């Protein structure tokens, strides 16, 4: 799993084996069972996750008990709660949709790694910018896109998840009801659309 994380980094930047060794000492690998909750709202988690195998999700639960999914994290994705990264109580739950194996990355991993291996600094900035872009697009989609547009965007972002994730979770991510998602899928099928 650590080697998979190394490969992930090497696809993004030029990092030598020696450089990776110098930053990977504090990384741990952990296995999580299906439906296991890795983080609760209010936790002060000291790490994020790099998913090597399996599938995680981040979500909140409103006062009526309804789940609102913020993000899915399949293989080779990073997932964390930014509040926890700033030493504040987390605002999201993170759980395992499937049995998952992940690298636990200390909250200050990228910062510490960039200090040791300067070529990581541009990647750290790129990851942060990508995260901001993702959230801005996500907010805009929720505010202004049709259910069909949101679903098509979901398929583009997560091309392999439609068969791995229950439909109600996809609907929650899209901010629509499962019935609306069924309608969208039926309309797309009538247009001969195949995900």
């Amino acid at each position: 799993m650590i080697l998979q994380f190394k490969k992930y980094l090497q696809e993004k930047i030029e990092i030598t084996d020696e450089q990776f060794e110098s930053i990977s000492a504090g990384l741990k690998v952990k296995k999580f069972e299906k439906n296991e909750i890795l983080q609760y709202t209010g936790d002060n988690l000291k790490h994020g996750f790099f998913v090597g195998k399996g599938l995680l999700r981040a979500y909140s639960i409103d006062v009526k008990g309804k789940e609102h999914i913020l993000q899915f994290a399949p293989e080779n994705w990073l997932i964390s709660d930014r509040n926890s990264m700033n030493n504040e109580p987390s605002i999201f739950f993170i759980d395992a949709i499937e049995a998952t194996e992940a690298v636990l990355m200390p909250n200050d991993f990228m910062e510490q790694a960039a200090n040791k291996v300067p070529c990581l600094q541009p990647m750290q900035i790129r990851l942060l910018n990508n995260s901001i872009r993702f959230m801005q697009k996500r907010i805009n989609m929720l505010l202004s896109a049709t259910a069909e547009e949101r679903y098509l965007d979901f398929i583009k972002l997560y091309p392999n998840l439609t068969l791995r994730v229950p439909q109600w979770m996809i609907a929650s991510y899209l901010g629509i009801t499962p019935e609306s998602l069924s309608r969208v899928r039926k309309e797309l099928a009538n247009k001969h659309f195949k995900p």
Side-chain angles (χ1 to χ4, degrees), residues 5-6 8 24 49 59 78-79 95 101 104 123 127 131-132 139 145 147 149 154 174 177-178 193 195:
F5 181 60
K6 177 182 174 182
Y8 168 82
S24 63
F49 307 91
Y59 63 99
L78 301 168
I79 188 169
D95 72 4
E101 200 169 336
L104 277 56
M123 180 187 161
L127 286 172
S131 179
I132 292 167
I139 291 166
E149 288 168 336
F154 173 85
L174 299 175
T177 65
F193 173 80

Side-chain angles (χ1 to χ4, degrees), residues 9-44:
L9 289 178
Q10 287 176 329
E11 287 172 356
K12 301 193 176 313
I13 57 166
E14 289 186 31
I15 184 170
T16 66
D17 292 345
E18 294 78 21
Q19 288 173 321
F20 182 77
E21 287 297 318
S22 74
I23 64 172
S24 63
L27 299 176
K28 292 181 174 46
V29 175
K30 190 165 181 188
K31 292 182 180 183
F32 301 98
E33 294 179 20
K34 180 178 179 176
N35 299 322
E36 184 175 345
I37 297 177
L38 290 60
Q39 171 183 291
Y40 290 85
T41 297
D43 283 354
N44 263 328

Side-chain angles (χ1 to χ4, degrees), residues 65-155:
K66 183 177 178 185
E67 290 185 12
H68 302 278
I69 297 175
L70 176 74
Q71 178 188 356
F72 293 101
E75 292 81 5
N76 296 313
W77 276 61
L78 301 168
I79 188 169
S80 65
D81 185 312
R82 288 281 167 185
N83 272 21
S84 286
M85 294 184 81
N86 289 314
N87 294 315
E88 296 175 17
S90 61
I91 57 174
F92 297 107
F93 291 87
I94 295 178
D95 72 4
I97 298 173
E98 300 172 352
T100 299
E101 200 169 336
V103 175
L104 277 56
M105 299 172 48
N107 286 340
D108 64 349
F109 172 77
M110 289 304 285
E111 184 180 333
Q112 295 299 323
N115 287 337
K116 290 180 183 176
V117 182
C119 67
L120 277 166
Q121 202 154 25
M123 180 187 161
Q124 180 185 13
I125 293 167
R126 217 170 29 252
L127 286 172
L128 183 58
N129 284 335
N130 284 344
S131 179
I132 292 167
R133 280 183 32 246
F134 169 79
M135 288 302 153
Q136 286 177 332
K137 181 178 180 186
R138 181 119 167 74
I139 291 166
N140 188 51
M141 292 295 286
L142 288 170
L143 292 174
S144 63
T146 65
E148 181 177 304
E149 288 168 336
R150 290 183 213 173
Y151 182 62
L152 292 172
D153 187 66
F154 173 85
I155 292 169

